[in-house]
Amino acid sequence: FGAWVAYRTLMEHIKRDFPCLQPIELNQLTMTTSFNQRGDLAAMLGLENRMTRKEITMQLKDTSSTLTQSTTSDIVLRCINNEVIDRCGLKAMVFRDSYANYLLPYLNKHFKTCTYVWTYNFMHEMIEEEKPDVVILEVHQSMLSYALHAPNLFH
């Protein structure tokens, strides 16, 4: 659910430059709740066997399209999306960490191609090669201080 909130905020900002984007509304989604022991904060405290994590997964009510989770942790992940809900034909590049795995299903619904790069460093050569319409830097809050110190100097 938190990823959907982050996605909506991000898309509202991107939509200012690309009004053809139509972000997914909450009423277009079905929520399912489950509990598991996968919480990273509980593991950091050594309490993963004592604390459960409530996880809310989302799926589109319109079953002709799905929100597909990433099943890989590749450093560079290139997605060509055939089930986009907008007709903008935009390309995106996302410099990211593991939290983007939760954003990926939503972003892939809007960008015809999306390249996800697991780093906080802007790879200028890759940006020039891909020529994306949108470049996103996604940083999980716990990694913000590290990401702000990543060398991202423009030449």
Side-chain angles (χ1 to χ4, degrees):
F1 181 74
W4 176 82
V5 173
Y7 148 80
R8 283 292 302 181
T9 302
L10 180 61
M11 291 303 289
E12 287 303 321
H13 286 280
I14 296 171
K15 188 177 174 172
R16 292 177 188 166
D17 292 322
F18 301 99
C20 59
L21 294 172
Q22 297 301 314
I24 299 167
E25 301 291 341
L26 189 57
N27 65 4
Q28 294 175 277
L29 297 167
T30 301
M31 290 188 267
T32 305
T33 302
S34 63
F35 294 89
N36 60 51
Q37 253 76 33
R38 293 188 316 219
D40 58 344
L41 295 178
M44 287 179 199
L45 295 169
L47 299 172
E48 63 272 15
N49 294 325
R50 302 191 72 185
M51 298 179 74
T52 58
R53 175 175 122 167
K54 180 179 181 180
E55 190 166 303
I56 299 173
T57 55
M58 315 282 261
Q59 208 43 255
L60 293 167
K61 287 181 181 177
D62 177 359
T63 58
S64 66
S65 184
T66 60
L67 294 173
T68 306
Q69 292 289 331
S70 174
T71 58
T72 181
S73 59
D74 292 345
I75 299 300
V76 177
L77 177 61
R78 288 185 168 84
C79 297
I80 299 172
N81 305 306
N82 297 317
E83 288 188 10
V84 291
I85 57 177
D86 308 304
R87 297 293 173 230
C88 302
L90 299 174
K91 293 172 68 173
M93 180 169 283
V94 181
F95 295 99
R96 57 157 239 128
D97 55 30
S98 62
Y99 188 76
N101 289 340
Y102 296 105
L103 292 172
L104 188 144
Y106 299 107
L107 294 177
N108 283 346
K109 288 296 176 192
H110 299 284
F111 298 100
K112 185 66 179 163
T113 61
C114 202
T115 302
Y116 299 90
V117 186
W118 200 314
T119 182
Y120 299 131
N121 296 325
F122 286 104
M123 302 177 90
H124 304 288
E125 300 83 17
M126 188 177 253
I127 294 171
E128 289 298 320
E129 181 182 313
E130 301 275 333
K131 298 189 182 343
D133 300 293
V134 176
V135 176
I136 299 167
L137 173 62
E138 173 278 320
V139 180
H140 187 273
Q141 181 181 358
S142 64
M143 298 302 290
L144 194 56
S145 63
Y146 174 77
L148 291 176
H149 291 97
N152 285 316
L153 302 174
F154 288 91
H155 302 292

